[in-house]
Amino acid sequence: MDTGLDLNQPAPELTAAICDIASVSGAERPLADAVEQALRAHPHLSVDRDGDAVVARAGEGRVGRVVVAGHLDTVPIAGNLPTKRDGDVLWGRGTVDMKGGVAVMLRLAAQIASPVRPVTYIFYDNEEVEAERNGLGRISRTRPELLEGDFAVLMEPTSAMVEGGCNGTLRARVTVRGTAAHSARWWMGSNAIHDAAPVLERLGAYQPAKVEVDGLVYREGLNAVAIEGGIAGNVIPDRCVIAVNYRFAPDKTEQAAFDHVCEVFRGWDVDLADSAPAARPGLDRPAAREFVAAAGGEVRAKEGWTDVARFAGLGVPAVNFGPGDPQLAHADDERVNITEIVECENRMRAWLAPDEG
Amino acid sequence: MDTGLDLNQPAPELTAAICDIASVSGAERPLADAVEQALRAHPHLSVDRDGDAVVARAGEGRVGRVVVAGHLDTVPIAGNLPTKRDGDVLWGRGTVDMKGGVAVMLRLAAQIASPVRPVTYIFYDNEEVEAERNGLGRISRTRPELLEGDFAVLMEPTSAMVEGGCNGTLRARVTVRGTAAHSARWWMGSNAIHDAAPVLERLGAYQPAKVEVDGLVYREGLNAVAIEGGIAGNVIPDRCVIAVNYRFAPDKTEQAAFDHVCEVFRGWDVDLADSAPAARPGLDRPAAREFVAAAGGEVRAKEGWTDVARFAGLGVPAVNFGPGDPQLAHADDERVNITEIVECENRMRAWLAPDEG
């Protein structure tokens, strides 16, 4: 049928085609349907559907299996669809985050019937919204066997650089207590906001570590992200709460990271709000070494938290590698240079099917 | 008629009677009606009504006129009505704040037909709620001539001590600015919450003045009453706002007080939220000196802001003087020792009608 996706058109054209099937988070169904239909046309693939996620497996067995993953959804459209092509530049929502990567995945899945290692391609929903809706998270809870592998590549935009692992992230609340009183008789109270000064000083003076893990250097950070205190305009406040965000390197568990935050703020009440684990790049594994070699040899650490940590949580080391400048993700003028899409496809193909080059 | 107030019953009994006519702010009408009706029975009084406020004037002319004022409303009832009498203690909502003072005013108005100086008694509404609803404020805007006088006594609870004038109060916002960035790449931003530390230090180190005005010492205060900052849990905050409350002595205008706050926080943006003027005690005036002598000779400075400042705004110096412990105002166990009511009445009577003693 003519509404089907043609997976044999060049990757830049395929990117434009799947961008033009709008798929803002929660509304991925038409794109997921098109992806499922196109993949089912290829008998070398075993295709599964889970909500608005599609999983396609190529190659036999579990040994040496690798996972290639990308999300189908985008942030809301900002007058930037349909896509526009201007020379080597493709403009529009999703061109960077991350339908260039998805187009590459679709072509690899369709065209590589006999990869040198078994491959699982995962196209998932709801990456751009609250963590509990994330399709990869849902599959990891309900069907973790679909994510099994020795190594994973998440095709998020990295300007076609390999970015290994990711920092973890943790939020905690530091509470400073005082004694309320009428502000006309302030000496009867103890001002919790004034007494928060040393907490803020400690944050300002904090020297975040740079930590080497598997040969990559991760830059940590500890920052206040919110502060609140105050009861009324005529009351000495009895409480001031500082919310801090600790970005921690993959040498630490979430517990070790929280212990560190408690140590930094020893003397105050510290409680954990939420956390997400860091991910090691896993560059000591053969599949990873071969991937890095195929991708050009250079690897840098990923600073931000990404879904690679979901693989790490399942014991699968993972890297980010995809076309597009991450600084342009979510921007109204989101755009990708199509040469990056082609380069990523070639590198991935050299890794999965070196003899077909 | 038997629902009328008997202004000749002893002050403690009259206090109980007017407490038992519930008059939470906004619902003062039945009490205002009863007060108006009782006062109109006395031909030596000239009675005016303004909304739920009642003004009664005794004596001729404007020269040497004094004002005695009290509010009719209370904070909400907390299961503490009707009043209960236990020996010398009268329990219930309004017994302290401030129907003991109102009872004294009613008896003085009814019984002193020829005061030694002309007197204006003002019974007003909505003192316990937002300033814009305050009945005394309304009269000062629409009928300021009713408040004219050389000196005013506000019969708010002071444990029967004379408390002169009051501090002014001012609220300002101090804004610390930074640069937003993703907290995973915190070094791209500048953290406004961290940079608020020196503002809090300055507050903690601030030495508030004690200022003598007209022989009374006023204790100032400068305190943070609120702090807020933060955009999201993964964003370096670009703004932190500290709300400060400055309680300033009656030697300063509101403008001078704001200038002082700007000076303390030089280097940051400071903007004024609101302010209310301080009030001088005016103890240099003959009517005030005679009042203090009649009231026992002792005077202390009033720390909190009260409606005496509304008189000050009209050029009328004012003091607080009334029965009841101000610490029990608004308390669920609000209660007054009736000997304070009797003492206040006797002192006021000695001032307004010394020859009738």
Side-chain angles (χ1 to χ4, degrees), chain A residues 171 183-184 186-187 191 193-194 200-201 208 219-221 223-230 233-237 245 247 304, chain B residues 171 183-184 186-187 191 193-194 200-201 203 208 219-221 223-230 233-234 236-237 245 247 304:
Chain A
R171 281 186 283 241
S183 64
W186 53 269
W187 55 90
N191 195 312
I193 295 177
H194 297 192
L200 303 189
E201 279 163 45
R219 186 169 183 178
E220 297 195 334
N223 272 278
V225 290
I227 189 167
E228 64 158 330
N234 59 355
V235 179
I236 300 301
N245 179 215
R247 300 278 171 164
Chain B
R171 281 185 284 239
S183 65
W186 52 269
W187 55 90
N191 195 312
I193 295 176
H194 298 191
L200 304 189
E201 280 163 43
L203 281 162
R219 187 170 183 177
E220 297 195 335
N223 272 278
V225 289
I227 189 167
E228 65 158 331
N234 59 356
I236 300 301
N245 179 215
R247 300 278 171 162

Side-chain angles (χ1 to χ4, degrees), chain A residues 237-262:
Chain A
D238 64 353
R239 212 171 69 109
C240 181
V241 180
I242 301 100
V244 300
N245 179 215
Y246 179 36
R247 300 278 171 164
F248 56 94
D251 65 327
K252 294 178 189 69
T253 62
E254 292 164 90
Q255 182 61 52
F258 181 56
D259 290 346
H260 177 68
V261 172
C262 290

Side-chain angles (χ1 to χ4, degrees), chain A residues 15-333:
Chain A
T15 300
I18 60 177
C19 285
D20 291 339
I21 301 174
S23 57
V24 175
S25 309
E28 302 92 337
R29 184 141 306 162
L31 179 57
D33 289 346
V35 164
E36 180 184 3
Q37 182 193 339
L39 293 172
R40 286 201 189 277
H42 298 273
H44 69 269
L45 294 172
S46 159
V47 178
D48 272 282
R49 177 80 181 241
D50 185 284
D52 288 330
V54 180
V55 180
R57 277 169 297 188
E60 294 298 316
R62 292 179 170 184
V63 177
R65 181 168 288 276
V66 295
V67 179
V68 182
H71 61 85
L72 295 174
D73 61 320
T74 67
V75 295
I77 297 159
N80 51 3
L81 279 187
T83 51
K84 292 195 184 75
R85 176 77 172 267
D86 179 11
D88 278 353
V89 178
L90 180 66
W91 297 75
R93 175 62 74 232
T95 52
V96 168
D97 192 7
M98 57 166 281
K99 290 180 174 174
V102 169
V104 169
M105 290 168 61
L106 286 168
R107 281 172 51 84
L108 298 171
Q111 296 171 357
I112 304 178
S114 302
V116 293
R117 47 181 61 81
V119 189
T120 303
Y121 300 94
I122 302 177
F123 304 87
Y124 64 99
D125 55 293
N126 285 304
E127 191 270 347
E128 298 289 6
V129 288
E130 316 87 85
E132 59 263 35
R133 292 171 60 190
N134 185 294
L136 195 64
R138 180 182 69 245
I139 294 171
S140 74
R141 289 188 301 271
T142 60
R143 304 180 70 184
E145 69 282 3
L146 291 178
L147 306 187
E148 279 177 5
D150 281 356
F151 178 65
V153 178
L154 191 65
M155 294 202 71
E156 289 272 5
T158 62
S159 299
M161 288 282 298
V162 182
E163 296 189 334
C166 73
N167 274 331
T169 180
L170 169 158
R171 281 186 283 241
R173 285 179 291 258
V174 182
T175 301
V176 181
R177 297 183 195 283
T179 307
H182 196 290
S183 64
R185 291 175 289 279
W186 53 269
W187 55 90
M188 307 290 286
S190 167
N191 195 312
I193 295 177
H194 297 192
D195 291 345
V199 173
L200 303 189
E201 279 163 45
R202 206 162 290 190
L203 281 162
Y206 183 81
Q207 295 291 332
K210 294 182 180 182
V211 181
E212 187 174 321
V213 179
D214 293 352
L216 300 184
V217 175
Y218 292 84
R219 186 169 183 178
E220 297 195 334
L222 178 62
N223 272 278
V225 290
I227 189 167
E228 64 158 330
I231 298 169
N234 59 355
V235 179
I236 300 301
D238 64 353
R239 212 171 69 109
C240 181
V241 180
I242 301 100
V244 300
N245 179 215
Y246 179 36
R247 300 278 171 164
F248 56 94
D251 65 327
K252 294 178 189 69
T253 62
E254 292 164 90
Q255 182 61 52
F258 181 56
D259 290 346
H260 177 68
V261 172
C262 290
E263 181 59 34
V264 170
F265 298 107
R266 181 176 294 279
W268 290 283
D269 285 353
V270 181
D271 61 296
L272 184 66
D274 55 34
S275 69
R280 303 183 74 98
L283 299 178
D284 50 338
R285 306 215 179 176
R289 278 203 300 268
E290 287 165 35
F291 170 75
V292 170
E298 266 192 86
V299 190
R300 62 184 178 203
K302 182 75 177 175
E303 310 289 359
W305 194 87
T306 79
D307 274 345
V308 297
R310 295 187 195 278
F311 288 104
L314 296 166
V316 185
V319 299
N320 298 276
F321 175 70
D325 176 356
Q327 302 287 339
L328 292 173
H330 305 189
D332 290 354
D333 59 348

Side-chain angles (χ1 to χ4, degrees), chain B residues 102-127:
Chain B
V102 169
V104 169
M105 288 169 61
L106 286 168
R107 282 173 48 85
L108 298 172
Q111 295 171 357
I112 305 179
S114 302
V116 293
R117 47 181 62 80
V119 188
T120 303
Y121 300 94
I122 303 177
F123 304 87
Y124 63 99
D125 54 292
N126 284 302
E127 193 271 347

Side-chain angles (χ1 to χ4, degrees), chain B residues 58-117:
Chain B
E60 292 299 315
R62 295 176 166 186
V63 176
R65 180 168 288 276
V66 295
V67 179
V68 182
H71 61 85
L72 296 174
D73 62 318
T74 69
V75 295
I77 297 159
N80 51 3
L81 279 187
T83 50
K84 292 196 184 76
R85 177 78 173 267
D86 180 13
D88 277 351
V89 178
L90 180 66
W91 297 74
R93 176 61 74 232
T95 51
V96 167
D97 192 6
M98 54 165 286
K99 290 179 174 174
V102 169
V104 169
M105 288 169 61
L106 286 168
R107 282 173 48 85
L108 298 172
Q111 295 171 357
I112 305 179
S114 302
V116 293
R117 47 181 62 80

